[in-house]
Amino acid sequence: MAGEFLVAGKLFKKRYQVSITLGNAKSVDLYVSKGEADSKPICVQVKTLRRPNCFLIKPEDINKAYVYVFVILETKSPDIEEYFIVTGEEIINNMPKFFGKNFDKPNKMPGITLGTLRAYLGK
C-alpha cells in the first residue's frame, strides 16, 4: 500500500483528483481524473517493490485500459523512490518485450523485469 499512497500523493501534487480503493478483492488501485465534471476517470494499477527486482504480474491480468505504475521504494538514494509508468495497451501490444519471448507459456511466476521498464522511468 505504500506505493499506492505515494503515487496518489504525487498525483494530488500535480492537481489530479484521486480516489484510493481499499480491500482485498479490488480490481484497480486508484481512480484518477483531472477534476473536470466531464472527465472520465483513469484506472491506475500500482505494483510496488521494496528493492529492485522483477514485478510479478500475469500477462492475462494486464488491462488495456489501465495505466500501470511500477514503484521501487528503496533505491540508491534512501529518500527517493523510482516510478515507471506505462499503459496497459503498450504492455499488451509488446508482450514479448515486457514478459520475455515465452510470455505465452505457462509460468508459475511471470513478471516484468526492471531492465524492460528503465525506458519508462518517471514518464
Side-chain angles (χ1 to χ4, degrees):
M1 288 189 59
E4 294 172 31
F5 284 108
L6 284 167
V7 171
K10 294 279 186 182
L11 289 167
F12 276 125
K13 264 181 95 172
K14 293 183 180 281
R15 301 193 184 281
Y16 285 93
Q17 297 296 313
V18 181
S19 295
I20 301 171
T21 63
L22 300 172
N24 292 333
K26 60 187 180 176
S27 62
V28 67
D29 295 322
L30 307 172
Y31 290 104
V32 181
S33 73
K34 295 199 179 212
E36 300 155 1
D38 60 345
S39 71
K40 183 180 174 188
I42 298 167
C43 297
V44 177
Q45 192 67 31
V46 180
K47 298 294 179 191
T48 308
L49 295 173
R50 183 152 306 281
R51 292 175 197 82
N53 204 338
C54 179
F55 288 91
L56 298 179
I57 185 169
K58 296 177 184 175
E60 61 269 19
D61 289 345
I62 302 294
N63 187 312
K64 185 177 186 176
Y66 288 8
V67 172
Y68 289 82
V69 181
F70 300 91
V71 181
I72 298 176
L73 298 175
E74 295 177 11
T75 62
K76 292 178 184 177
S77 179
D79 296 329
I80 299 175
E81 302 83 23
E82 289 184 334
Y83 300 87
F84 306 89
I85 304 162
V86 61
T87 64
E89 182 173 17
E90 186 158 357
I91 296 171
I92 288 172
N93 290 340
N94 298 288
M95 286 287 203
K97 172 184 170 183
F98 286 97
F99 288 95
K101 61 184 175 185
N102 295 320
F103 74 93
D104 55 350
K105 306 268 189 304
N107 186 341
K108 292 183 181 182
M109 295 184 69
I112 296 176
T113 63
L114 186 55
T116 303
L117 292 173
R118 283 283 170 211
Y120 301 91
L121 179 63
K123 295 197 175 188

